[in-house]
Amino acid sequence: MNDTRSILLTGVGGQGTILAAKILSEGLTRMGYDVKMSEIHGMAQRGGSVTSHVRYGSRVDSPVISEGEADILCSFEKLEAFRHLGYIKPEGMLIVNDLEIYPLPVLIGQAAYPDDIASVLKTRHERFQLLSAHTIAVKLGNPRVENIVLLGAVAHYGGFMQFSWEETIRDLVKPAFIDINIKAFYAGAKAASASFGGAS
Amino acid sequence: MKQLLTGNEAIARGAYEAGCTVAAAYPGTPSTEILEALSQYKEIYCEWSVNEKVALEVSGGASFAGSRAFCAMKHVGLNVAADPMFTIAYTGINGGLVINTSDEPGMHSSQNEQDNRYYARHAKLPLVVPSDSAQCRDFMLEAYRISETFDTAVLFRTTTRVCHSKSLVELHEPMRVPQRAYTKDLKKNLMTPGNSRPRHVDVEARLVKLAEYAESTPLNFIEEDGNTLGVISTGIAYQYAREVFSDRADYFFIGFSFPLPMKAVRKFCEVHETILVIEENEPFIEDEIRKAGIACLGKDLLPACGELSPKIIADACSHLPEASTYAPSVHSDASLPPRPPALCPGCPHRGIFHVLSKQKNIVASTDIGCYTLGAFPPFSVGDFFFCMGSSITAGIGFKRSDMSCGTETRGVFAIIGDSTFFHSGMTGIADAVYSRTPVVTIILDNRITAMTGHQHNPGTGMTLMGEQAHEIDLGELVRALGVREDHIRKVNPNNLKACSEAVNDALIAQEPFVIIARVPCALLPQVRKRAESKWFQVDAQACTGCRACIRIGCPAITFRDSAAVIEPDICAACGVCFQVCTFKAISMGGNKT
Ligand SMILES: Cc1ncc(C[n+]2csc(CCOP(=O)(O)OP(=O)(O)O)c2C)c(N)n1
């Protein structure tokens, strides 16, 4: 019986998906799962779209998530959520950061950013939460911890909240930013539980 | 202890545990992080070599001296290093030597998807192919044993998904491997024709022994449970195959892929009704199996182009009852705007490209680096490249064609980054000077190898091991190569007027002309820090909505309600937008909070 579960994080280069995926996979490892994580960097830093695949279970083979296979899709940016929608399971959880980052073709007027992506996503996918991670991060005092706010939401929907995340976060972020990242993590988890109910 | 490591980190760990003492590499996705990880072990000498040929020669020399040595490169890098590799294949080694090639099916950051497994057959070197991080570590240790047992360099081949995926790795204590004695042995180490001829015979004999080893190596293994479907696979494709066929198939994993264990393969095929060979890109293993007269499925079902995935395999094999099924693809709207990589806010390449985009009668022979992005809108400056370093030399040929045929007066510009210039651009300048060809070379000296994530190079003054180094001065260098002093121009690429003047002077030059555009990469920590409190702003009243600033393609500038807006958090204060605004609507902002 294959019990592998899949979490896909998507976003734009520079948003911190890679660190979020790193903390998530390290946490899952410490929970005792077999874990595989895959990501594509390279051109990523230049503002291209980036994805991190995290898979865990008793034995994981492929590090790559196939379409229609993600239990959780967490997108750090709205357009990227739309782009990667095909990856989520019909019953999977879709978490989307309420943030628009215009890609170059939009900036230079060669393409239009789609209108009201959130409403479209809502009609396409039932289990959907829009989260203003940016606002939460700014309230905490550092917009750069947006990624960890989103990670907190992922942990909530993944059902990982019994695990104590402090130590994993402490081991993986820069010493000066440990406290704010821990706060961000729990703020994200709380925002997720407040607006959508308990984890499945 | 078990640790979650990327394939690249695990390769570094393997080299460390195997007692490697000298390692050299030139960066290139997806191989770069290996040397970055290896350089954390302070007892190992690690260097960023100027190119891959140099990296292999450095590690080859270290092997001759008696060290266990290692070199790493991306797939196309092995083309550059092919010359020494083919002859090291004849000489053999003293200390163990492993050559890592990181291939890129899917071309996430590459210009082609050549399958370097063929190099093993071509050069007659043993080939090791891991499929996850644990194997990366384990196979490195075995690769050194193979190298020293059979007196041969070993080709170690990974792909992006192995390099950049994390999985659990069991760590062990490093071995202490003393330097082997060096004995002068011309017959083996000096490949003049008289010495090479008998060595070729030795190489053929070595292949026979390696083929015997292939039959018993732990790098190949069979997982059998009486299924009628037998899957033969290698690399990441094996992990995908396990995902798709689970315990409904038997598996022959081939981690030692050249020479192949043909006896064991034949036996495996005899006891299975259907044989399916699953490998990414070329039918490297499949061709050998077919050549042995064994019927199998493989590339008749699976694509040779691009990466595989569990879903691609499952869809291609849907007629096999053993295959899992995946939900059909839901295509999200094709009309979504793409998100291609773009020059960063504050990128020092932007100014030069803006200036060149105004020139109507030029051809830009470009090269590989962040600045390749200049070829795309809004600049569209960049016509072609072949490989790293081709800008200047292809430019010479282009110009010579124009001159020979007497048809064209277009200016030919070669655009090349600092790291690329050291890699393989210096010979181009020598050729331009020697041939007196009036090409204009623009060296975009952003003081770092940016594309691959900020590696040092001979111009930055630092080494991979964190030591200070001599900084090779590009101006002095091109002058020493023979470019006339008055044909060398140093400009600040964020100063559009200076760039324009240099370009105009260059256009009328009758001899090789070099413009060195020097400003550090905007992502370097010290540059970020300097820009932290600075930003530009748009006066919405003064803005006429002409969009001139939009046309510099800066991610910090958007157009809203008929005026441009600069995002202060994103702005890196390079000032290029300020210079293109003819209505004085852009000014320096106050302090960011
Ligand atoms: C033979 C070869 N080796 C390595 C690479 C990978 N690679 C692509 S661009 C690049 C470095 C570019 O650095 P630089 O010339 O300084 O330009 P920058 O990215 O800083 O603008 C490297 C190493 C390659 N494409 N081909």
Side-chain angles (χ1 to χ4, degrees):
Chain A
M1 187 25 217
N2 191 339
D3 61 356
T4 302
R5 293 172 71 85
S6 304
I7 300 174
L8 186 70
L9 307 182
T10 79
V12 176
Q15 278 196 291
T17 47
I18 289 177
L19 178 63
K22 192 170 171 180
I23 296 173
L24 178 60
S25 31
E26 182 62 31
L28 289 164
T29 304
R30 293 183 189 187
M31 286 179 217
Y33 290 112
D34 185 25
V35 177
K36 285 190 179 172
M37 192 260 259
S38 177
E39 61 203 5
I40 294 295
H41 9 125
M43 302 286 275
Q45 217 171 3
R46 317 287 162 265
S49 78
V50 285
T51 57
S52 293
H53 302 229
V54 178
R55 306 193 75 218
Y56 63 102
S58 48
R59 173 200 165 131
V60 181
D61 295 312
S62 166
V64 181
I65 302 172
S66 291
E67 282 168 84
E69 205 181 34
D71 296 281
I72 297 176
L73 167 61
C74 177
S75 184
F76 287 38
E77 198 273 346
K78 283 194 216 165
L79 176 60
E80 294 313 306
F82 210 160
R83 200 189 307 285
H84 293 94
L85 204 55
Y87 277 91
I88 197 166
K89 272 185 187 158
E91 70 278 17
M93 183 65 210
L94 174 62
I95 306 165
V96 180
N97 189 14
D98 192 4
L99 178 77
E100 294 181 357
I101 300 177
Y102 290 170
L104 187 67
V106 172
L107 288 175
I108 61 177
Q110 292 188 341
Y113 195 91
D115 288 330
D116 203 6
I117 293 180
S119 316
V120 181
L121 291 175
K122 207 176 230 158
T123 59
R124 297 236 186 140
H125 196 82
E126 196 181 333
R127 296 189 67 211
F128 167 62
Q129 180 178 359
L130 192 66
L131 198 78
S132 187
H134 184 75
T135 316
I136 296 173
V138 169
K139 248 188 229 153
L140 290 172
N142 188 344
R144 300 203 60 118
V145 297
E146 192 175 344
N147 57 341
I148 307 303
V149 173
L150 289 160
L151 177 63
V154 169
H156 168 75
Y157 287 112
F160 310 135
M161 293 313 292
Q162 316 87 295
F163 178 71
S164 100
W165 286 89
E166 283 88 344
E167 203 178 303
T168 309
I169 295 173
R170 201 176 297 276
D171 291 347
L172 293 179
V173 306
K174 291 203 183 97
F177 299 102
I178 291 172
D179 288 341
I180 180 128
N181 276 293
I182 292 175
K183 276 192 202 142
F185 182 88
Y186 285 103
K190 191 166 158 226
S193 65
S195 57
F196 204 91
S200 49
Chain B
M1 191 186 55
K2 275 196 173 180
Q3 222 178 317
L4 203 54
L5 297 182
T6 62
N8 282 346
E9 290 164 343
I11 290 170
R13 180 73 199 185
Y16 166 68
E17 287 182 17
C20 167
T21 48
V22 176
Y26 182 73
T29 313
S31 70
T32 312
E33 301 82 10
I34 304 176
L35 258 269
E36 289 178 335
L38 197 56
S39 67
Q40 303 303 310
Y41 303 107
K42 292 300 168 206
E43 52 273 60
I44 305 174
Y45 170 80
C46 290
E47 71 162 49
W48 286 132
S49 302
V50 295
N51 65 33
E52 293 85 352
K53 175 181 186 303
V54 172
L56 177 49
E57 289 158 352
V58 167
S59 57
S63 156
F64 272 26
S67 278
R68 282 195 162 185
F70 175 75
C71 68
M73 57 204 69
K74 71 182 287 167
H75 61 335
V76 288
L78 198 54
N79 301 332
V80 180
D83 198 4
M85 179 179 69
F86 276 83
T87 300
I88 286 174
Y90 276 32
T91 63
I93 52 95
N94 183 23
L97 175 61
V98 177
I99 304 169
N100 171 89
T101 167
S102 306
D103 294 5
E104 250 230 318
M107 298 174 276
H108 299 281
S109 329
S110 301
Q111 66 265 42
N112 73 25
E113 56 182 341
Q114 65 186 57
D115 187 332
N116 277 2
R117 292 179 296 168
Y118 288 109
Y119 264 124
R121 187 191 293 149
H122 197 174
K124 311 197 174 206
L125 293 175
L127 173 65
V128 173
V129 182
S131 77
D132 64 11
S133 300
Q135 288 183 347
C136 282
R137 180 252 163 222
D138 298 351
F139 288 14
M140 276 296 287
L141 279 108
E142 184 63 16
Y144 278 104
R145 275 191 287 272
I146 296 169
S147 176
E148 289 173 0
T149 308
F150 297 96
D151 186 9
T152 178
V154 173
L155 195 59
F156 196 90
R157 186 253 192 181
T158 58
T159 56
T160 310
R161 292 291 176 180
V162 173
C163 299
H164 288 171
S165 293
K166 284 189 176 180
S167 54
L168 289 166
V169 179
E170 182 80 45
L171 308 187
H172 300 261
E173 284 301 306
M175 299 179 351
R176 289 215 151 271
V177 184
Q179 189 186 28
R180 289 184 165 193
Y182 169 70
T183 5
K184 187 165 168 167
D185 181 358
L186 296 190
K187 283 199 157 44
K188 184 169 177 295
N189 295 338
L190 195 85
M191 289 297 98
T192 53
N195 290 343
S196 307
R197 286 183 202 111
R199 276 308 290 172
H200 186 186
V201 177
D202 295 341
V203 168
E204 296 301 327
R206 184 178 74 200
L207 271 185
V208 173
K209 287 196 195 126
L210 284 166
E212 279 164 28
Y213 164 80
E215 302 290 346
S216 61
T217 172
L219 305 185
N220 298 331
F221 55 83
I222 290 173
E223 294 164 314
E224 240 167 352
D225 195 20
N227 290 296
T228 54
L229 173 64
V231 171
I232 299 176
S233 192
T234 183
I236 193 69
Y238 161 75
Q239 302 291 348
Y240 299 159
R242 292 244 24 150
E243 187 85 28
V244 172
F245 299 103
S246 188
D247 50 10
R248 298 177 296 277
D250 292 349
Y251 299 88
F252 195 154
F253 174 79
I254 301 195
F256 188 78
S257 300
F258 184 80
L260 283 172
M262 283 314 293
K263 284 186 203 140
V265 166
R266 192 178 285 283
K267 240 173 88 190
F268 182 79
C269 295
E270 275 164 8
V271 298
H272 291 93
E273 240 166 66
T274 311
I275 292 294
L276 172 60
V277 185
I278 305 181
E279 53 193 326
E280 272 182 327
N281 287 158
E282 304 302 322
F284 180 77
I285 294 175
E286 182 183 337
D287 281 350
E288 290 302 302
I289 293 177
R290 289 186 193 271
K291 221 157 65 186
I294 301 166
C296 62
L297 301 171
K299 290 294 165 189
D300 40 358
L301 301 175
L302 295 162
C305 300
E307 290 189 287
L308 294 179
S309 73
K311 183 169 158 50
I312 290 172
I313 296 171
D315 288 353
C317 301
S318 57
H319 61 293
L320 298 176
E322 295 90 345
S324 344
T325 47
Y326 284 78
S329 300
V330 214
H331 288 290
S332 48
D333 296 31
S335 60
L336 293 182
R339 193 181 296 277
L343 295 181
C344 302
C347 175
H349 300 337
R350 180 169 281 108
I352 280 281
F353 284 123
H354 175 75
V355 166
L356 288 175
S357 71
K358 303 288 171 212
Q359 291 291 338
K360 293 297 163 236
N361 196 26
I362 63 165
V363 164
S365 174
T366 191
D367 220 304
I368 311 186
C370 289
Y371 50 90
T372 310
L373 296 172
F376 302 107
F379 310 109
S380 304
V381 175
D383 289 73
F384 47 83
F385 70 75
F386 308 138
C387 58
M388 277 188 77
S390 70
S391 53
I392 303 169
T393 34
I396 292 171
F398 201 98
K399 187 75 198 174
R400 280 291 161 189
S401 169
D402 282 358
M403 289 164 77
S404 281
C405 303
T407 46
E408 286 284 350
T409 54
R410 56 197 163 200
V412 176
F413 281 73
I415 297 168
I416 187 166
D418 51 335
S419 184
T420 306
F421 187 74
F422 289 116
H423 178 281
S424 45
M426 297 184 286
T427 43
I429 292 289
D431 200 81
V433 169
Y434 184 42
S435 64
R436 296 192 65 189
T437 306
V439 290
V440 183
T441 300
I442 301 184
I443 306 177
L444 296 170
D445 181 15
N446 61 352
R447 318 294 304 136
I448 204 77
T449 314
M451 175 91 259
T452 41
H454 287 176
Q455 291 75 33
H456 286 287
N457 67 50
T460 67
M462 286 291 281
T463 70
L464 171 58
M465 298 178 75
E467 281 156 13
Q468 293 257 307
H470 175 74
E471 224 178 278
I472 298 180
D473 183 296
L474 287 169
E476 281 176 26
L477 178 57
V478 294
R479 177 141 162 66
L481 285 168
V483 181
R484 280 169 45 176
E485 181 107 55
D486 60 352
H487 279 48
I488 301 170
R489 205 59 52 82
K490 294 182 185 170
V491 297
N492 172 347
N494 290 335
N495 180 337
L496 300 184
K497 187 157 170 280
C499 291
S500 260
E501 283 167 9
V503 165
N504 287 331
D505 288 350
L507 271 170
I508 51 169
Q510 299 299 310
E511 280 181 56
F513 197 103
V514 176
I515 298 171
I516 300 169
R518 174 168 164 165
V519 158
C521 172
L523 296 183
L524 285 169
Q526 67 271 27
V527 182
R528 279 190 175 189
K529 222 179 167 61
R530 253 184 274 139
E532 238 166 38
S533 55
K534 295 190 205 136
W535 54 292
F536 282 84
Q537 63 191 9
V538 180
D539 175 353
Q541 299 299 308
C543 178
T544 63
C546 75
R547 291 179 187 256
C549 58
I550 294 289
R551 283 191 293 273
I552 62 172
C554 176
I557 311 177
T558 49
F559 198 75
R560 270 182 236 145
D561 310 326
S562 69
V565 179
I566 298 174
E567 203 61 61
D569 283 344
I570 305 179
C571 175
C574 67
V576 170
C577 59
F578 167 77
Q579 295 167 71
V580 300
C581 180
T582 43
F583 300 97
K584 297 204 162 38
I586 297 179
S587 61
M588 190 65 113
N591 270 2
K592 284 188 209 173
T593 45

